[in-house]
Structure formats: C-alpha cells, structure tokens
Amino acid sequence: MKIRHIAGVASLVLLAACGQKEEKAGAKGNAAAQAHYLKANDYLVAAKFDSAETEYKACVQSDSTHYLAYFQLSNLYQLSGEFDKAMMSINRAIELNPEFTMAFYNKANLQDMLGDEKGSMTQMNRVLSLKPDFFAARMSRAQKQASKGKFKEAIADFDEAIAQRPNFSLAYNARGTARYRMNDFEGALQDFTKETELRPDLIMGFVNRAAVYGSMKNYRAAIGDISHLIALDATWSQGYILRANYQYMAGKKDSACEDIKIAKMMRHPQAEQLASQYCK
C-alpha cells in the first residue's frame, strides 16, 4: 500500500486512539477480532501500512460488525488514493454504527475529494446534528459556506467555532475574511486584530488587516502593518510591493518608487510592471 498523502498519517494515528473511545459491544464482542484490531493500530503507529491493512482485514473477517476496523480501512484507502474502497469501507462503518460522527465527517471529506460538494455538505450537516460541538466539522462547514459565497451562514458557524475555542487564530482569520467579503470592514478589522494578538508570529493577520485598512482608506495604518512585517524580515520582497501600493494610494509616489526599487533588486516578478505604472 503506497500512502500518497503523508500529511494525513498523523491524523490517522490519532483516529486510532480516538476510535478506542468509540468502541461499543459490537466492536469488542470477538476477542480474536479485537486482537487483530489492536495489532493493526500498532502497525499504524509504526507506519507499517501494509501490515496494518492486513490486520484490519483480518479483524473484519473475524467480526464483520467491527465498525472501527472498517473506519480505519477507509482512512488507509483514502490516503493511498483507493477511493472506491475507501467509500465502501466508510459506508459499512456508518451502516454498523449510524451515530459514529467521525465516520460521517470522514465521508464528507472523502466526498469533497471526489467532487461531490452536495453530498459532502449533507454529511457535514448530519455530523453537526449529532454532535453540535464537533469543532472541526463546524469549521469545515463554515469554510464550505464561505467558498460558495454564503457568508452570513459561514459567519454563524465561525461564531460557534470561536465560542468553542476562543484562542484559535485561524477561526478569526476565516471569519474576518468572510466579513471583509460582506464589506463589514469594522468586523473584519476586529477579527484580524485578534488574530495578530493571538499569533504575532504569522504574517497573514497583518497582511489582511492592512487590506482592510486600505479599503477604509486608512493608508497610514496599512503602511504601518506592512512596515512592521518588513522590519521583522527585510528580505520579504512581497512586503515592499504591498507597501508600495499603499504608499502610492496615499499619494506618496516617491516612497512607493523607493519600495519598488528595492523589490526590483530582489527580482520580484511584479516590480517592473509597477515601476512602469507608478514611477514614470
């Protein structure tokens, strides 16, 4: 079994531990099956994926009601790109345990990968109806809504997510972006400011807040945010391009051209075009 998506392996190992807590009588009723299942989890932690697959299969052969083994098989098949097998296995897990929210969540993600957006949203709604405090599902549904331009619905989900985890910076970033798209600049400004407070080491909050300031024609504040980032990393060529734009909009043509000159020296691909546009 060739795993194509290495980034998903860590979460798969965590799901093995999570699955232990989900076990019910049907998954524990056969000692031999359970022994195969636990051995498969050990192989999974050791990144021995072929052996893990073999043991999960042995588990369901010994106990066809062991929904956790089907669940883990689906995850393995998804990571190896065997999507038909993944769908068959996750459907079997759901059939055996219709209240297994993690299975619905993973099916939604699998349907996303297969381009079934409607089906994915249906599954995500099912997850949240069963477990309203499922944070990852809440964030995922919010992002799906935002991607379709349903910003009001997305913001409602982001509100719920932030209420659950008030220190999760990415939720503020996502809600701020949705608010910005709705021209709620004050709301977006609050979210991006909160993001910069929670994660001052990340540039995106400052870049997004600068964009909001720009839309509000507060160019001085926008220039301040980008200047802060340039002070942290003087080799960041995109920073000079961004600041040049705000400088130009603020009527500071000479300062804009100085930034563009630096960006040209750094061989930024947009520098020549901006030089011809701003610095004639």
Side-chain angles (χ1 to χ4, degrees), residues 17-69:
C18 172
Q20 305 278 358
K21 299 178 182 179
E22 293 277 353
E23 291 179 6
K24 296 183 179 178
K28 290 183 174 179
N30 184 317
Q34 189 64 7
H36 285 300
Y37 178 75
L38 295 176
K39 191 173 183 180
N41 286 346
D42 289 339
Y43 281 132
L44 188 61
V45 172
K48 296 180 179 180
F49 303 115
D50 288 327
S51 297
E53 179 188 12
T54 297
E55 290 298 327
Y56 286 131
K57 285 181 174 179
C59 174
V60 297
Q61 287 173 356
S62 181
D63 180 359
S64 62
T65 69
H66 203 301
Y67 65 88
L68 290 172

Side-chain angles (χ1 to χ4, degrees), residues 14-137:
L14 289 174
L15 289 172
C18 172
Q20 305 278 358
K21 299 178 182 179
E22 293 277 353
E23 291 179 6
K24 296 183 179 178
K28 290 183 174 179
N30 184 317
Q34 189 64 7
H36 285 300
Y37 178 75
L38 295 176
K39 191 173 183 180
N41 286 346
D42 289 339
Y43 281 132
L44 188 61
V45 172
K48 296 180 179 180
F49 303 115
D50 288 327
S51 297
E53 179 188 12
T54 297
E55 290 298 327
Y56 286 131
K57 285 181 174 179
C59 174
V60 297
Q61 287 173 356
S62 181
D63 180 359
S64 62
T65 69
H66 203 301
Y67 65 88
L68 290 172
Y70 284 107
F71 174 73
Q72 289 293 72
L73 277 170
S74 175
N75 290 320
L76 279 173
Y77 291 139
Q78 183 173 332
L79 290 173
S80 66
E82 299 174 88
F83 299 126
D84 289 343
K85 290 183 179 180
M87 187 63 74
M88 290 177 60
S89 296
I90 202 68
N91 282 337
R92 179 59 175 158
I94 290 171
E95 178 185 349
L96 292 168
N97 185 355
E99 296 184 356
F100 190 11
T101 54
M102 185 64 78
F104 287 108
Y105 178 73
N106 281 21
K107 182 176 180 178
N109 290 332
L110 177 58
Q111 287 174 309
D112 257 345
M113 296 179 70
L114 296 173
D116 183 4
E117 295 182 2
K118 183 178 180 180
S120 177
M121 182 61 78
T122 297
Q123 298 303 325
M124 209 61 75
N125 290 339
R126 180 69 181 275
V127 171
L128 290 170
S129 69
L130 291 169
K131 191 175 178 62
D133 63 345
F134 195 141
F135 178 80

Side-chain angles (χ1 to χ4, degrees), residues 224-249:
D225 270 344
I226 303 303
S227 295
H228 167 75
L229 295 174
I230 290 173
L232 295 176
D233 182 5
T235 66
W236 183 44
S237 63
Q238 180 65 19
Y240 295 99
I241 293 295
L242 291 172
R243 190 169 67 178
N245 280 314
Y246 295 128
Q247 298 272 27
Y248 189 82
M249 286 186 281

Side-chain angles (χ1 to χ4, degrees), residues 147-183:
S147 70
K148 294 180 177 296
K150 298 181 178 180
F151 300 117
K152 184 177 180 180
E153 294 87 344
I155 289 169
D157 270 338
F158 287 132
D159 288 345
E160 290 286 339
I162 288 170
Q164 292 175 35
R165 297 190 185 178
N167 293 322
F168 188 67
S169 64
L170 291 179
Y172 291 98
N173 178 286
R175 188 176 68 178
T177 300
R179 285 174 162 174
Y180 181 78
R181 296 289 298 276
M182 291 184 70
N183 294 322

Side-chain angles (χ1 to χ4, degrees), residues 247-263:
Q247 298 272 27
Y248 189 82
M249 286 186 281
K252 299 180 178 181
K253 180 179 177 180
D254 291 342
S255 297
C257 290
E258 282 297 319
D259 277 338
I260 292 170
K261 182 178 179 180
I262 296 171

